[in-house]
């Protein structure tokens, strides 16, 4: 449930989770003589390991299942401005634009996937997990020829605490006094965790 998800949130390295999923699925991928690569940034999210693992497991399994032998799969994690984008692309047959909305629904599968064993729940599960993270799921044409599934999450702007104090001017002292309490609150309910003195902040503080 969303309530349980919030209670169990902790700092999770998305890149490490992707490595773990790829390692666990590598035997199956290798059996089909497919190639898989992981690219991009090491990004920490305030999430639940099981949820991110399940999301990636479904995306990569789908890419492998619905692509032929010798296909290429590319997993990419990157931060673009204030957005974190997780994408899984393959060189398989892809999904026609007319069918993309329907395959995100439970038990629905693309027409060309009917000959492959599956429940039709994979992308629906991805959509549910993305919703818990306030993220969007986008299906697009992959540059390598097949389907690219993107999970996009908008973040707060990350700035040093001192920069906020400087902007706040006369309120800087009050912000400094409340910094520890504020940081703890954000780390409990925020969306990312970054090293050093970077935290998620808003320039307005309740009086």
């Amino acid at each position: 449930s969303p309530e349980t998800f919030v209670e169990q949130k902790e700092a999770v390295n998305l890149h490490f989770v992707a490595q773990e999923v790829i390692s666990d699925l590598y035997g199956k991928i290798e059996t089909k003589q497919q190639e898989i690569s992981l690219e991009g940034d090491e990004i920490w999210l305030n999430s639940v390991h099981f949820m991110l693992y399940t999301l990636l497991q479904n995306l990569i399994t789908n890419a492998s299942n619905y692509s032929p032998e010798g296909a290429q799969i590319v997993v990419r994690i990157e931060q673009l401005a204030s957005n974190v984008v997780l994408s899984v692309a393959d060189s398989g047959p892809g999904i026609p634009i007319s069918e993309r909305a329907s395959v995100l629904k439970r038990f629905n599968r693309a027409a060309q996937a009917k000959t492959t064993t599956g429940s039709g729940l994979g992308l629906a599960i991805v959509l549910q997990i993305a919703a818990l993270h306030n993220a969007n799921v986008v299906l697009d044409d992959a540059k390598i020829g097949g389907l690219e599934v993107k999970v996009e999450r908008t973040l707060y702007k990350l700035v040093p605490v001192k920069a906020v104090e400087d902007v706040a001017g006369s309120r800087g002292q009050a912000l400094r006094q409340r910094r520890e309490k504020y940081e703890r609150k954000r780390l409990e309910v925020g969306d990312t965790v970054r090293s050093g003195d970077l935290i998620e902040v808003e320039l307005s503080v309740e009086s």
Side-chain angles (χ1 to χ4, degrees), residues 115-183:
T115 58
T116 303
T117 302
S119 63
L121 289 173
L123 287 177
I125 292 172
V126 167
L127 195 64
Q128 290 180 338
I129 296 175
L132 288 174
H133 292 81
N134 295 317
N136 297 318
V137 177
V138 179
L139 306 187
D140 204 352
D141 294 327
K143 293 180 180 179
I144 56 177
L147 179 71
E148 181 175 29
V149 182
K150 296 179 182 179
V151 182
E152 302 177 344
R153 172 74 169 94
T154 301
L155 304 174
Y156 288 102
K157 184 177 180 181
L158 296 172
V159 295
V161 172
K162 187 178 183 303
V164 181
E165 295 173 353
D166 292 343
V167 172
S170 61
R171 302 183 69 185
Q173 184 176 359
L175 278 171
R176 280 191 294 273
Q177 292 173 348
R178 300 176 60 183
R179 181 195 301 177
E180 289 188 7
K181 179 180 178 181
Y182 184 69
E183 286 182 348

Side-chain angles (χ1 to χ4, degrees), residues 2-195:
E3 293 77 16
T4 302
F5 173 71
V6 171
E7 292 172 359
Q8 295 179 349
K9 275 185 176 182
E10 60 181 354
V12 182
N13 188 317
L14 183 57
H15 199 275
F16 286 180
V17 177
Q19 288 179 324
E20 182 182 2
V21 174
I22 291 172
S23 177
D24 290 345
L25 296 177
Y26 191 77
K28 180 179 179 181
I29 292 170
E30 188 177 34
T31 298
K32 295 184 70 173
Q33 299 179 322
Q34 296 170 339
E35 294 183 5
I36 185 166
S37 60
L38 174 60
E39 304 175 353
D41 307 321
E42 185 173 308
I43 293 176
W44 290 79
L45 297 178
N46 197 21
S47 183
V48 176
H49 177 276
F50 173 76
M51 290 293 187
L52 294 179
Y53 184 98
T54 302
L55 182 144
L56 276 157
Q57 183 184 49
N58 276 280
L59 288 176
I60 296 173
T61 297
N62 273 3
S64 176
N65 283 350
Y66 302 126
S67 296
E69 291 189 0
Q72 183 181 1
I73 301 169
V74 179
V75 181
R76 183 164 183 81
I77 302 167
E78 56 188 338
Q79 181 163 350
L80 304 174
S82 61
N83 290 338
V84 167
V85 181
L86 163 65
S87 63
V88 177
D90 63 64
S91 60
I95 298 177
I97 294 175
S98 60
E99 296 181 33
R100 290 178 185 173
S102 63
V103 298
L104 292 172
K105 300 176 182 178
R106 292 167 62 88
F107 308 115
N108 281 4
R109 305 171 67 200
Q112 64 265 44
K114 301 297 185 181
T115 58
T116 303
T117 302
S119 63
L121 289 173
L123 287 177
I125 292 172
V126 167
L127 195 64
Q128 290 180 338
I129 296 175
L132 288 174
H133 292 81
N134 295 317
N136 297 318
V137 177
V138 179
L139 306 187
D140 204 352
D141 294 327
K143 293 180 180 179
I144 56 177
L147 179 71
E148 181 175 29
V149 182
K150 296 179 182 179
V151 182
E152 302 177 344
R153 172 74 169 94
T154 301
L155 304 174
Y156 288 102
K157 184 177 180 181
L158 296 172
V159 295
V161 172
K162 187 178 183 303
V164 181
E165 295 173 353
D166 292 343
V167 172
S170 61
R171 302 183 69 185
Q173 184 176 359
L175 278 171
R176 280 191 294 273
Q177 292 173 348
R178 300 176 60 183
R179 181 195 301 177
E180 289 188 7
K181 179 180 178 181
Y182 184 69
E183 286 182 348
R184 285 198 300 271
K185 179 181 178 183
R186 297 307 294 177
L187 291 178
E188 289 172 1
V189 302
D191 300 303
T192 61
V193 177
R194 289 299 177 96
S195 60

